[in-house]
Amino acid sequence: MRRRHFLFPDSTSCPDLLVVVGLSVSVSTCLSTCPSGSMRAPVCAALLLLCALSDAAARQFSEEQMAAVRQRIKSMFYHAYNSYLNNAFPYDELRPLTCDGHDTWGSFSLTLIDALDTLLVLGNRTEFQRVASLLQDTVDFDIDVNASVFETNIRVVGGLLSAHMLAGRAGMELEPGWPCSGPLLRMAEDAARKLLPGTRPVQTGF
C-alpha cells in the first residue's frame, strides 16, 4: 500500500515527521467522528486540516506555501492548546463558549494526553517532556467515575502508548528494558486494567 504524503510532495523533506504523523493518525482514528460543536483535543484541529487538504498530495507547493501552511497548522493547534491550559486544565476538555473546563470521559486531563504526540510532531520536545512528567504526577486512574470504555481505550490508553513509544524521540530518558518498561507504559497498563470489567459480557439472564 502506497503512503500518502499530505502537503509534502517531496517525501524526503521531513521523513521523521511523516512517520510520526502516521502514528498519530492511527492512534487517533476516533477524531474523524468528532461531533460538530464539541471541544475535542487540540490535535483535532491539525488532523482535520490535513484531512481537508488531502487532495494536496497531487499538487506542487513552493517552499513559501508549505511554510505558510505549516505555520497555520501550528497556530491552530496552539490556539486550542493554550486556551485549554489557561482555562480548563486539569479537566478533560475546554468548553469554548463558557471558557471553562469540564470532565467528559473520566477525569484524566484527557486533552493533555491527546495532545502529547502532536506536540512532538510540531517539534516541541520541551513541552512534551513537561506534560509527560505532569501527567505522571497528576493523573490517577484509581477513582470511582463513570468512564466510557471506548473513549478511554482509544484516547487514554492509545494516547499514552503512542507517547511512550515516542519518548525517545522527544529526548526523554528511557528506562532499562524500554520499550517494555517506562512510566507512560505503566500508566497505559493501569488504565487498561481498570477497563477490563467493562469488556466482559453483561449477565442478563437471557
Side-chain angles (χ1 to χ4, degrees):
M1 182 175 179
R2 189 176 181 181
R3 176 184 292 169
R4 298 189 66 186
H5 293 165
F6 296 114
L7 303 179
F8 301 105
D10 177 8
S11 62
T12 64
S13 58
C14 47
D16 289 341
L17 177 60
L18 291 172
V19 170
V20 177
V21 168
L23 178 57
S24 174
V25 173
S26 66
V27 171
S28 306
T29 51
C30 65
L31 294 176
S32 62
T33 58
C34 285
S36 60
S38 69
M39 181 59 188
R40 306 291 293 248
V43 65
C44 196
L47 291 180
L48 286 180
L49 181 59
L50 290 174
C51 291
L53 297 177
S54 60
D55 63 330
R59 305 178 188 176
Q60 293 295 321
F61 285 79
S62 67
E63 288 298 325
E64 291 76 13
Q65 290 173 319
M66 292 171 67
V69 172
R70 290 190 187 104
Q71 185 56 48
R72 182 183 177 190
I73 292 173
K74 283 186 177 182
S75 297
M76 291 174 65
F77 171 82
Y78 282 114
H79 172 73
Y81 182 74
N82 291 331
S83 293
Y84 166 78
L85 287 180
N86 294 333
N87 300 287
F89 177 78
Y91 294 101
D92 281 337
E93 296 180 347
L94 170 69
R95 292 189 290 192
L97 297 182
T98 56
C99 221
D100 59 1
H102 68 146
D103 287 329
T104 51
W105 301 110
S107 185
F108 313 127
S109 298
L110 183 57
T111 293
L112 282 187
I113 297 176
D114 262 344
L116 264 176
D117 53 0
T118 306
L119 287 168
L120 187 56
V121 168
L122 299 180
N124 196 338
R125 295 186 176 189
T126 301
E127 184 66 2
F128 181 103
Q129 294 173 14
R130 186 189 75 84
V131 171
S133 298
L134 180 64
L135 290 172
Q136 295 172 46
D137 295 335
T138 59
V139 174
D140 182 10
F141 297 115
D142 191 19
I143 54 177
D144 184 11
V145 294
N146 182 18
S148 165
V149 173
F150 175 76
E151 292 284 346
T152 304
N153 186 44
I154 62 176
R155 298 176 70 185
V156 176
V157 178
L160 290 170
L161 285 175
S162 66
H164 166 71
M165 296 303 298
L166 294 170
R169 290 173 179 255
M172 297 186 67
E173 183 177 353
L174 301 179
E175 290 185 359
W178 184 93
C180 298
S181 177
L184 296 176
L185 178 61
R186 286 190 289 273
M187 289 181 66
E189 181 184 7
D190 186 21
R193 289 187 180 280
K194 294 295 193 299
L195 295 176
L196 286 178
T199 65
R200 296 167 185 158
V202 177
Q203 299 299 321
T204 61
F206 293 99

